Amino acid sequence: MTFLPKSDFLRTMVERGFFHSCSDLEDLDHNLRTQVVPAYIGFDATAQSLHAGSLIQIMMLRWLQKTGHKPIVLMGGGTTKVGDPSFRASERPLLDMNQIEANITGIKQVFERFIDFNSKPTGALQVNNAEWLDNINYIEFLRDIGKHFSVNRMLAFESVKTRLDREQSLSFLEFNYMILQAYDFLELSRRYHCVLQMGGSDQWGNILNGVDLTRRVINRKVFALTSPLLTTSEGKKMGKTAGGAVWLNANLYTSYDFWQYWRNTDDADVSRFLKLYTELPLDECNRLSCLQGAELNEAKIILANEITSLTHGREAALNAQETSANVFEKGMAGSELPKLVITSLSFPLTKALVDLGFATSGKEAKRHILGQGIRINNCVETDIQKLLTQSLGNPIKISFGRKRHALIYFQQ
């Protein structure tokens, strides 16, 4: 990058590793230095919670507000009914309105921990694009908005080409998604004077569509800013584990498991993650990143504490750290471990493993047991027919591998 931003926000984006591309870096930098800039990121409501892969976008909105600007969280109550086809091999399952509304409610809980929703000039807004998409007149929309889109250009988008090159079906419904996303930017600019859309680099083409549409329809210059798509040093997608997604809502993924996910960060990822997912000063991030061998565990614990504090609160982070110390250093059970309450006299171990999220099916649970990956009260268990009873203790400590543990309570 030859141009060095002067605005606090863009300088933070560059220095901490959030920056990938910008449609007009110098002009956006000028806007950010001279006025409060409203900026948005869109989130479709496809699940009850966002997962750790969304944290980079959430942190961008947090830094935006901390540097004196206005975050807009756009919930895709309308676009979720269509489904973003970007780089997907198949069409998303369609959700009904009740599911979408419930998902939006769950997702908002995450944002309330990261940004402040208030009436101040920099107070965050949550907006639902169903407000304008649900009542679109199809013929008017085609005439007024559709005329600005070239099918030739849309077919050239990498996300579309990839799907078609693999001879995988792309429905007309999904093909319209990029037009709806562009229309979102136009409407947010009209209604809330939004001048910036942010997102992952895979959304670059879609965001530029909105930049172009807004210029064409209301003659207003707006901007695109994207972050890099992150994978771990092992090439794994952020926010995914062998057991499934690392959800940000504690009712779907416990604060203890969330803390452990970050504590178990690969050595090669510590430096990047400290800058992206914490607010520690860069000098401190660099100091921690330079630690070697066993001392690097200090940096991983700080990383886990900082991001768990942001997501679940400081008390949850400290409880998770204490539980981890009890489990790994002292051999104790740890009160913050995930729990399963059983009301029957006995319970199959395989079903307990599924209910705890240690396995996705009974068949997988049996594989874990036969592979000597399961321990009951620190003793390896190899009996796939094993029944858990109160005679084993109350609670019973179940361990999967070296790093995942849970407690089972009997309640009569």
Side-chain angles (χ1 to χ4, degrees), residues 224-279:
L225 176 68
T226 59
S227 60
L229 290 182
L230 285 188
T231 58
T232 67
S233 60
E234 297 176 340
K236 296 178 181 177
K237 192 172 182 180
M238 281 298 301
K240 300 287 187 179
T241 69
V246 180
W247 300 110
L248 302 183
N249 287 23
N251 63 317
L252 297 178
Y253 200 82
T254 70
S255 54
Y256 172 78
D257 281 339
F258 186 80
W259 189 93
Q260 281 291 338
Y261 174 77
W262 298 101
R263 168 62 181 82
N264 295 328
T265 293
D266 189 89
D267 292 0
D269 291 322
V270 172
S271 178
R272 279 193 308 157
F273 290 179
L274 282 167
K275 293 175 182 178
L276 289 169
Y277 299 123
T278 81
E279 294 174 333

Side-chain angles (χ1 to χ4, degrees), residues 372-391:
Q372 299 187 9
I374 302 299
R375 297 193 308 282
I376 298 177
N377 295 330
N378 300 321
C379 296
V380 174
E381 181 57 60
T382 58
D383 182 4
I384 60 175
Q385 304 297 330
K386 182 72 175 181
L387 293 177
L388 303 176
T389 65
Q390 195 165 340
S391 64

